[in-house]
Amino acid sequence: LQFDGFILNQTHRSQPTLPLGVMYKAPEPMGEHFFAESFDRGTMDGWVLSRAKKDDADEEIAKYDGKWAVEEMKDSKLPGDMGLVLKSRAKHHAISSLLLRPFTFEDKPLIVQYEVNFQSGIDCGGAYVKLLTQTPDLDLNQFVDKTSYTIMFGPDKCGEDYKLHFIFRHKNPKTGEFEEKHAKKPDADLRTYYTDKKTHLYTLVLNPDNSFEVLVDQTVVNSGNLLTDMTPPVNPPAEIEDPDDHKPEDWDERAKIQDPDAVKPEDWDEDAPAQIADEDAVKPDGWLDDEPEYIGDPEAAKPEDWDEDMDGEWEAPQIPNPACETAPGCGVWKRPMIDNPNYKGKWKPPMIDNPNYQGVWKPRKIPNPAFFEDLHPFKMTPFSAVGLELWSMTSDIFFDNFFITNDRNTADRWANDGWGLKKAAEGAAEPSLASQMLTAAEERPWLWIVYVLTVALPLVLIIVFCCTGKKKSAATPAEYKKTDEPQPDVKEDEEGEEEEVEEEKAEEAEKSSPG
């Protein structure tokens, strides 16, 4: 039985048991598309391994000899789901494949999406794709870092720097030269996508109106416009500073100057000290003038191996004078120092506004000889292949379900049939909260105390409170709420009850009397 990409397993198979009996079915491209690759044939047919060398690297690492394999994920929840795996550490990897036909930027959007799983985490390395520019000399066997590309997109991480690249190469209409334009950094926290060892879907959407979106797991994490949100900007400024303009020698940029007419007051004493002795201070009673603050330790003894010829005259180590412990002080008393009220310091003329101030000098503006205006940067150079050109210090990076199209619905359908199935299987296989708590407590027994305090104790208190509450006593006349509605005549009821008690007593007395 098949339901939206899920197949219920009705027969016994040798494969591992899947959550809810779900079996994997390879996604099938439907609708307009330029590239679709699920690797579920189990081969790298259609993909070309680079045989080139990097020009600017040592001979030992210059070769693109990193290993690739088509295989299942190490902890696959979907037996039969294959992907392309980067297998080597600290090596250059390059592999590429031609599109069904070149993509030309006209009046329809571009949607690029693929899946990545950092099965072993990621220390330093990339998992981005390059859309290789259509050129007459494009040779996939010689695919290197300098091979022309139109767009570079995808995750990259080194240390604590988590990146999600979107870079496109813009052709200068005046010079014909290309320049990389980088999208602003996403505001979203990307850390989880690199550390949780789950499969994530990366999607780039470019629209003919120059808007773009970057999505992870079908959630927008970055968006903007090619004209306003790229660095450096697509279009250069219309004016630039004149490189031949120089600041005049007499240009005065000082906003404030010393008052040239100011004169030091005659009573200004530059020699007065900043602090003086407090003449109003009085020596505290009980001050021990003749007692030193420190004395030689009377219990100390000269070491037996002390040689006065070599070590000099021996002196006992100094300790605080016990006689000073109860006194306000010992030794020669000196008046404390206080700030000098007459201290003024070195005299300086006051600052005044500079009458000759001309402002901060800037070169004059001139028309930018390199100026151009490209209002349609979406119309990029056509591309005809997709490639992975990577260096990584971590192996086992899993790639899957590459898809390039100009129709958003077609891309979403492919994503739901591929990544959506993975997500459902991974979610179903995750342990419940209770299982996670038990596992954590087995590794860290002290967590049982936390569980008791946060879960069991509040439940016990609630039960005790509910079961031991006092019964409410009958209301007294004073407790009845004062309203306009008639209230029961409590006094009459009480008198009636008293009469009934008296009658019962009388009847019992008659029965017990003789005769």
Side-chain angles (χ1 to χ4, degrees), residues 52-58 61-64 92 144-145 389:
K53 293 182 180 180
K54 287 177 69 77
D55 292 336
D56 54 354
D58 294 337
I61 61 171
K63 292 182 180 180
Y64 282 90
H92 292 290
V144 294
D145 57 328
E389 188 270 317

Side-chain angles (χ1 to χ4, degrees), residues 149-200:
Y149 69 88
T150 300
I151 291 174
M152 183 174 122
F153 167 66
D156 188 16
K157 185 245 182 184
C158 201
E160 291 301 309
D161 188 10
Y162 299 85
K163 296 178 180 178
L164 182 50
H165 294 295
F166 164 41
I167 305 170
F168 79 94
R169 295 173 73 246
H170 178 258
K171 185 177 182 180
N172 186 313
K174 296 190 72 171
T175 66
E177 295 179 353
F178 286 88
E179 184 179 34
E180 289 184 353
K181 308 295 181 181
H182 296 246
K184 63 182 181 180
K185 189 173 182 179
D187 294 329
D189 185 1
L190 306 176
R191 184 187 306 265
T192 302
Y193 306 130
Y194 299 81
T195 59
D196 63 3
K197 299 183 181 180
K198 293 183 179 180
T199 304
H200 295 288

Side-chain angles (χ1 to χ4, degrees), residues 6 18 47 57-58 73 100 150 256 273 490 512:
F6 290 80
L18 293 174
W47 290 82
D58 294 337
M73 280 190 288
L100 298 175
T150 300
K256 297 281 187 179
V490 177
S512 58

Side-chain angles (χ1 to χ4, degrees), residues 45 405 422 433 452:
D45 290 348
T405 182
K422 280 192 183 74
L433 178 60
V452 170

